[in-house]
Short mmCIF file of all heavy atoms in Angstrom, two decimals:
data_model
loop_
_atom_site.label_atom_id
_atom_site.label_comp_id
_atom_site.label_asym_id
_atom_site.label_seq_id
_atom_site.Cartn_x
_atom_site.Cartn_y
_atom_site.Cartn_z
N ALA Z 8 9.06 12.34 -2.78
CA ALA Z 8 10.15 12.94 -3.09
C ALA Z 8 9.77 14.15 -3.92
O ALA Z 8 8.84 14.09 -4.91
CB ALA Z 8 11.20 12.15 -3.79
N GLU Z 77 -4.51 28.41 1.78
CA GLU Z 77 -5.42 29.63 1.45
C GLU Z 77 -6.85 29.47 1.48
O GLU Z 77 -7.63 30.12 2.05
CB GLU Z 77 -4.86 30.30 0.25
CG GLU Z 77 -3.64 30.96 0.27
CD GLU Z 77 -3.43 31.98 -0.94
OE1 GLU Z 77 -4.35 32.29 -1.57
OE2 GLU Z 77 -2.22 32.48 -1.03
N ARG Z 174 0.22 26.12 -29.19
CA ARG Z 174 0.40 26.86 -30.35
C ARG Z 174 1.84 27.37 -30.47
O ARG Z 174 2.26 27.43 -31.76
CB ARG Z 174 -0.59 28.13 -30.24
CG ARG Z 174 -0.37 29.22 -31.28
CD ARG Z 174 -1.58 30.12 -31.28
NE ARG Z 174 -1.33 31.37 -32.10
CZ ARG Z 174 -2.17 32.15 -32.49
NH1 ARG Z 174 -3.47 31.92 -32.24
NH2 ARG Z 174 -1.81 33.31 -33.20
N HIS Z 325 1.52 51.69 -30.76
CA HIS Z 325 2.46 51.00 -31.68
C HIS Z 325 1.96 51.16 -33.14
O HIS Z 325 2.63 50.76 -34.00
CB HIS Z 325 2.38 49.51 -31.28
CG HIS Z 325 3.32 49.14 -30.16
ND1 HIS Z 325 2.82 49.38 -28.86
CD2 HIS Z 325 4.51 48.68 -29.98
CE1 HIS Z 325 3.83 49.00 -27.98
NE2 HIS Z 325 4.82 48.62 -28.61
N GLU Z 374 -35.27 2.26 22.65
CA GLU Z 374 -36.58 1.88 22.09
C GLU Z 374 -36.87 2.54 20.81
O GLU Z 374 -36.32 3.70 20.61
CB GLU Z 374 -37.71 2.42 23.04
CG GLU Z 374 -37.74 1.60 24.37
CD GLU Z 374 -38.90 2.11 25.27
OE1 GLU Z 374 -39.50 3.07 25.04
OE2 GLU Z 374 -39.02 1.45 26.42
N LEU Z 545 -32.92 19.91 31.97
CA LEU Z 545 -33.41 19.08 33.11
C LEU Z 545 -34.53 19.85 33.90
O LEU Z 545 -35.52 19.14 34.27
CB LEU Z 545 -32.26 18.92 34.26
CG LEU Z 545 -31.10 17.87 33.76
CD1 LEU Z 545 -29.89 18.15 34.67
CD2 LEU Z 545 -31.70 16.51 33.80
N ARG Z 773 -85.72 16.74 23.23
CA ARG Z 773 -87.07 16.13 22.96
C ARG Z 773 -88.05 16.18 24.19
O ARG Z 773 -87.53 16.04 25.28
CB ARG Z 773 -86.74 14.64 22.64
CG ARG Z 773 -86.09 14.42 21.37
CD ARG Z 773 -85.99 12.87 20.94
NE ARG Z 773 -85.29 12.63 19.74
CZ ARG Z 773 -85.79 12.68 18.56
NH1 ARG Z 773 -87.15 12.89 18.44
NH2 ARG Z 773 -85.23 12.32 17.50
N ASP Z 969 -51.67 18.52 -13.42
CA ASP Z 969 -50.96 19.38 -14.37
C ASP Z 969 -51.84 20.17 -15.16
O ASP Z 969 -52.79 19.87 -15.76
CB ASP Z 969 -50.28 18.39 -15.37
CG ASP Z 969 -49.55 19.01 -16.31
OD1 ASP Z 969 -49.18 20.32 -16.15
OD2 ASP Z 969 -49.16 18.42 -17.40
N GLY Z 995 -42.39 9.55 -7.43
CA GLY Z 995 -42.12 8.56 -6.44
C GLY Z 995 -42.38 7.14 -6.90
O GLY Z 995 -42.45 6.23 -6.10
#
Side-chain angles (χ1 to χ4, degrees):
E77 287 196 7
R174 173 165 165 165
H325 287 79
E374 291 180 357
L545 287 167
R773 291 187 182 275
D969 184 17

